[in-house]
Amino acid sequence: MNLIKMVDLAGQYQAIKPAIDQAIAEVIESTAFINGPAVANFAKQLEDYLGVKHVIPCANGTDALQVAMMGLHLQPGDEVITTTFTFIATVETIALLGLTPVLVDVYPDTYNLNMEQVRGSITEKTKAILPVHLFGQCSNMQEIMDLAHEHNLYVIEDACQAIGADYIFPDGTQAKAGTIGTVGCTSFFPSKNLGCYGDGGALFTNDDAIAENLRSIVNHGMKIRYYHDQIGVNSRLDSIQAAVLSVKLPHLDAYNASRLKAALLYNALLDGIPGLETPVIATDSTHVFHQYTLKVPVEKRDALQKFLATKDIPAMIYYPVPIHQQKAFQTIKSNNQFYPVAENLAKRVISLPMHTELSEEQQIYIAQAIREFFG
Ligand SMILES: *Cc1c(COP(=O)(O)O)cnc(C)c1O
């Protein structure tokens, strides 16, 4: 059996190596390293895949979030409602722009925004709701969009972990994660479901004027070269990464399907262990399993991680500290919310190896080890 890794990108590369190597070589031969045709081609290809009007490539997922908020002209003091149970980038970018992050708790089953708390957190300063489609499953977008319309708010989707997931509206129609709100953001960090071979990211929108503004912001606030209409940033997807992504995008559905298959096998293998909860699949979203996350009793979680390590099985805690308890965020004013679910999850979650190259043999070995631990 091969060494088990949390994320294994080697096997995936081997399977498409000739196409990747050729795509990279072509960019190098062309020397169109920055904003070359490979970038525009990939953006077009992703627009078609997602069924969205505009894809604006940028340097990484964190930049995508920052640029989204700049592009919607959010001003210091404006409030953005988001989850406390997320990766730091979601909230960091809000704070960096001088906006006020208003954190809410999550649901214990899907880990997504608690809508009661979102509703209760809306003030006259609220400008946007920022749902994070955590671990690969969409937030409750219908309810979020309805609430946003009611209060005239923007919706910025953090779809960094959910590219390719489908949200299923109550009427049965579907839309890809990140294409429903005002602006969607994603990351092409290597370990993401659609990862490049370095850093990369993108913004999505169906609004022509917002798209034009986002394009200007990622390019130093200019439309005509050296005429700067607003303060922007330098955030580009480089051509080599775009070329890699163009080769990988046609495989994304198959990659996501193999993650789902692995998740369902884990579910079956881990069924019936007292105290252990396998992931819940929502009825209104497909799940692309960016992470396969278990909930175990608080007092057993760290011991399980250590036990698995003795058997050469990596396992990670996403995330050990909710944002409201992070040192960097102690000065952010509280909206008088409590976060019992997020605080409990932070002590109970443990994510198992999840990638496109997991073998059944490896999963059986992992599940046996977990059963042994729970005795
Ligand atoms: C990965 C990730 C980001 C940031 O993406 P980078 O490309 O690493 O900057 C933001 N939000 C979430 C939820 C993520 O998982």
Side-chain angles (χ1 to χ4, degrees):
M1 189 175 71
N2 289 332
L3 187 69
I4 299 173
K5 295 188 189 154
M6 198 65 200
V7 175
D8 184 352
L9 301 171
Q12 200 186 63
Y13 168 57
Q14 285 308 320
I16 52 174
K17 182 174 166 30
I20 291 277
D21 292 357
Q22 190 195 331
I24 292 175
E26 275 171 21
V27 174
I28 296 173
E29 296 285 342
S30 78
T31 71
F33 297 115
I34 300 292
N35 280 332
V39 179
N41 291 344
F42 168 66
K44 176 75 181 62
Q45 199 184 344
L46 188 57
E47 284 165 2
D48 292 344
Y49 171 82
L50 293 171
V52 72
K53 217 162 160 195
H54 304 280
V55 165
I56 299 100
C58 67
N60 55 68
T62 308
D63 275 8
L65 290 159
Q66 179 180 331
V67 168
M69 290 182 265
M70 292 172 76
L72 296 172
H73 305 290
L74 301 192
Q75 299 298 318
D78 287 350
E79 294 179 355
V80 179
I81 299 174
T82 192
T83 159
T84 192
F85 195 62
T86 182
F87 178 57
I88 195 73
T90 315
V91 188
E92 187 178 54
T93 45
I94 300 172
L96 200 62
L97 293 172
L99 315 175
T100 305
V102 176
L103 301 174
V104 302
D105 210 353
V106 294
Y107 293 125
D109 50 355
T110 60
Y111 310 122
N112 284 328
L113 281 179
N114 178 311
M115 293 306 295
E116 300 263 293
Q117 281 203 14
V118 172
R119 208 175 284 275
S121 300
I122 294 174
T123 71
E124 65 278 12
K125 287 188 178 165
T126 307
K127 288 288 153 55
I129 305 173
L130 203 171
V132 179
H133 305 312
L134 204 72
F135 300 155
Q137 175 158 257
C138 294
S139 298
N140 186 338
M141 288 308 292
Q142 181 70 60
E143 224 180 310
I144 291 169
M145 296 310 288
D146 288 347
L147 194 61
H149 286 143
E150 197 182 314
H151 294 274
N152 200 19
L153 307 174
Y154 296 122
V155 174
I156 301 164
E157 290 176 73
D158 183 339
C160 290
Q161 300 189 0
I163 195 153
D166 287 301
Y167 177 71
I168 305 153
F169 289 93
D171 69 3
T173 56
Q174 300 193 357
K176 291 280 178 206
T179 68
I180 301 162
T182 325
V183 179
C185 301
T186 207
S187 164
F188 304 121
F189 186 80
S191 65
K192 299 286 155 95
N193 289 34
L194 179 62
C196 57
Y197 292 174
D199 274 308
L203 297 118
F204 320 139
T205 185
N206 285 303
D207 185 300
D208 295 343
I210 291 172
E212 191 180 333
N213 199 35
L214 297 173
R215 279 185 215 286
S216 148
I217 291 172
V218 296
N219 190 24
H220 300 292
M222 68 184 176
K223 285 176 196 152
I224 302 164
R225 194 171 246 194
Y226 306 128
Y227 290 80
H228 304 276
D229 306 329
Q230 60 184 326
I231 294 173
V233 295
N234 169 19
S235 187
R236 297 183 281 239
L237 179 69
D238 79 61
S239 304
I240 287 179
Q241 301 310 332
V244 167
L245 289 164
S246 277
V247 173
K248 289 186 73 176
L249 179 56
H251 300 280
L252 177 60
D253 285 343
Y255 292 158
N256 284 341
S258 67
R259 286 172 177 272
L260 176 62
K261 187 167 169 246
L264 296 177
L265 181 58
Y266 271 140
N267 283 353
L269 292 168
L270 296 170
D271 190 37
I273 298 177
L276 179 145
E277 292 174 51
T278 54
V280 170
I281 301 187
T283 51
D284 60 354
S285 176
T286 63
H287 203 323
V288 295
F289 283 98
H290 177 62
Q291 299 299 346
Y292 180 87
T293 303
L294 299 173
K295 281 183 283 190
V296 299
V298 172
E299 68 281 4
K300 294 207 167 139
R301 200 268 308 274
D302 293 350
L304 173 61
Q305 190 181 25
K306 286 202 188 89
F307 178 79
L308 293 175
T310 66
K311 303 201 167 262
D312 292 325
I313 300 169
M316 298 284 284
I317 310 305
Y318 304 114
Y319 295 92
V321 183
I323 306 295
H324 69 275
Q325 292 181 326
Q326 295 284 358
K327 201 166 153 194
F329 284 94
Q330 291 315 301
T331 55
I332 301 286
K333 97 172 180 4
S334 155
N335 57 334
N336 298 317
Q337 293 287 2
F338 295 97
Y339 309 97
V341 176
E343 288 174 16
N344 180 255
L345 288 174
K347 297 191 194 112
R348 289 182 63 204
V349 290
I350 182 164
S351 299
L352 299 183
M354 173 50 74
H355 50 80
T356 57
E357 312 303 311
L358 267 182
S359 70
E360 209 172 302
E361 185 191 16
Q362 289 175 323
Q363 289 192 268
I364 290 169
Y365 174 79
I366 294 167
Q368 266 167 1
I370 294 172
R371 280 198 182 272
E372 189 184 327
F373 174 80
F374 278 91

